[in-house]
Structure formats: C-alpha cells, structure tokens
Amino acid sequence: MRMSAILGLIALPLLITACHIRGGEPSQSELLAALQDQIEHANERGGIKINLGNAGAFQDIKFNLKVHSLTKQSCTGDNYAYTCDVTIMVSYPPVKEEPEMIVSEMMVVDGPDGWRLVE
C-alpha cells in the first residue's frame, strides 16, 4: 500500500506535464510553436508563390518563410480562443535574407494537440 502511494506521487507530475492543461492565454513560446507549425506546413506544400509578371510575362517566385523570433505583446479572448498582438522577426529567402520586423495579430485556438493558428 505504501509503495503504491509513493509510485502514485512520482507518476503524478509526469502525467500532469504530459497532458495539455486547458485554460488561460497562450504563452509566448506556445504562440511561437503554433506559428512555426503553420509555416512548416506551408513550406512542406511548396512554400509561397508570388506571380510577379503582367500580361504575357508571368514569372513565379517561390520562397520559404523562416521565423527568427516572436514577442507577445498582449492577448484578448477566453479559455479556448485568443487574439494576440505579436512582433515577429521573419525572413523569406531568396527574396529577403535579412530578418524583417512585422507587427501582427494572431488568432489561436486551444485544441487537443495544443495551440493552433487560425488562418
């Protein structure tokens, strides 16, 4: 009996950290992970293509986005959906190699796999 109580106390923190605990706004690291996950999916689908041509002279440029950092400014919402103001440092080689600062708004929802970006 005593041994099972000790094992239960040891296993409890492991179970708590393994589960996604709902409630509260997303942290800066959770926002960054949601954004990086979304960008990885876009890059896996072939990146982003921009048509730079005009009638008769079309030219597509493909580039992949790269997030260097994200700073959370504020969030509003409830326990499962938030809109957050963020500052993102991003580059998009080969178009722009140097990171560029973008002030943006992200909408995220809390799901079974953690925070996800809403497009």
Side-chain angles (χ1 to χ4, degrees):
M1 178 72 166
R2 188 175 214 188
M3 184 57 122
S4 63
I6 292 171
L7 289 175
L9 288 174
I10 292 171
L12 184 61
L14 295 174
L15 290 173
I16 289 173
T17 57
C19 297
H20 180 71
I21 299 172
R22 297 183 182 271
E25 70 182 46
S27 68
Q28 183 168 300
S29 62
E30 289 170 324
L31 289 172
L32 178 60
L35 178 61
Q36 286 177 327
D37 186 54
Q38 187 74 17
I39 288 174
E40 284 176 20
H41 289 302
N43 289 341
E44 287 170 1
R45 291 188 303 259
I48 297 172
K49 294 180 183 176
I50 297 177
N51 187 325
L52 296 177
N54 48 26
F58 294 106
Q59 179 183 9
D60 287 335
I61 292 181
K62 177 188 161 197
F63 60 91
N64 292 330
L65 292 171
K66 181 178 179 185
V67 177
H68 298 272
S69 66
L70 179 143
T71 304
K72 173 179 145 182
Q73 305 302 326
S74 64
C75 290
T76 57
D78 64 19
N79 286 337
Y80 302 105
Y82 282 87
T83 300
C84 300
D85 294 322
V86 295
T87 303
I88 306 165
M89 294 298 289
V90 64
S91 62
Y92 30 98
V95 176
K96 184 158 177 98
E97 298 284 339
E98 292 298 315
E100 175 181 339
M101 183 174 69
I102 298 173
V103 177
S104 185
E105 192 174 81
M106 292 175 56
M107 179 183 251
V108 291
V109 293
D110 191 7
D113 295 326
W115 293 98
R116 295 287 177 235
L117 189 66
V118 177
E119 290 186 45

